[in-house]
Amino acid sequence: QVQVVESGGASVQAGGSLRLSCVASGYTFKRKYMAWFRQAPGKEREGVSCIRWSGGSRYYADSVKGRFTISQDNAKNTVYLQMDSLKPEDTAMYYCAASTLDDIIWTQRQAYDYWGQGTQVTVSS
C-alpha cells in the first residue's frame, strides 16, 4: 500500500521561510512525478511545484517562482519544498501528490494517483 505523508507546516510571519517534507513509500510504487499542491479556504486546489523523479525536471507556478524550490532525496524517498519570502497569500493547506504516469500536465489534479493528508501553512502579515 502506498503512503504519502507530509510534514513541516507551521505558522510564520511574512518574509519567513519553511521547508515542507513529503515521504512517499510503497513496495510496488513506481513514482514518475512528485508534486506539491495547495488549497486555501474557499479556493480550488492549485499546483505549486512538481519534480520529475528521474531526471529532476522542475516546474513551478508563476506565483511562487523565485521563492519556492522543490528538491528530492532518492535514498529517503522524500521530496522537499523550500519556501522563502513567504507572503500571507501563501497561506493554505499544502498537499503532496505522486504520479505513476509517464507524461502528465503537472498542474492537473487527475494526473496524480496518490495524495497525502496535507500540512497547514499560515503566513501572518
Side-chain angles (χ1 to χ4, degrees):
Q1 185 174 352
V2 176
Q3 285 190 313
V4 179
V5 180
E6 308 97 333
S7 62
S11 295
V12 297
Q13 289 193 327
S17 298
L18 282 175
R19 188 177 80 157
L20 306 183
S21 300
C22 170
V23 180
S25 60
Y27 180 72
T28 61
F29 179 39
K30 301 295 184 183
R31 78 204 73 202
K32 299 295 178 66
Y33 296 87
M34 296 288 295
W36 288 96
F37 282 71
R38 67 186 181 187
Q39 187 167 17
K43 294 188 176 181
E44 294 287 318
R45 191 172 298 189
E46 63 175 357
V48 175
S49 184
C50 177
I51 188 165
R52 187 178 177 93
W53 202 251
S54 176
S57 297
R58 305 177 187 189
Y59 310 92
Y60 296 95
D62 287 343
S63 59
V64 306
K65 280 180 182 176
R67 300 188 299 122
F68 291 10
T69 303
I70 193 169
S71 62
Q72 65 188 103
D73 185 328
N74 289 12
K76 296 182 179 180
N77 292 326
T78 301
V79 63
Y80 302 99
L81 186 68
Q82 177 66 40
M83 304 187 296
D84 298 317
S85 302
L86 282 161
K87 303 176 180 180
E89 51 263 44
D90 294 318
T91 295
M93 185 71 78
Y94 283 71
Y95 297 91
C96 181
S99 175
T100 59
L101 302 177
D102 288 320
D103 189 17
I104 65 171
I105 297 174
W106 75 271
T107 53
Q108 291 186 344
R109 293 173 56 182
Q110 59 265 38
Y112 299 88
D113 308 273
Y114 306 102
W115 291 82
Q117 294 299 307
T119 186
Q120 178 67 38
V121 173
T122 303
V123 184
S124 58
S125 57

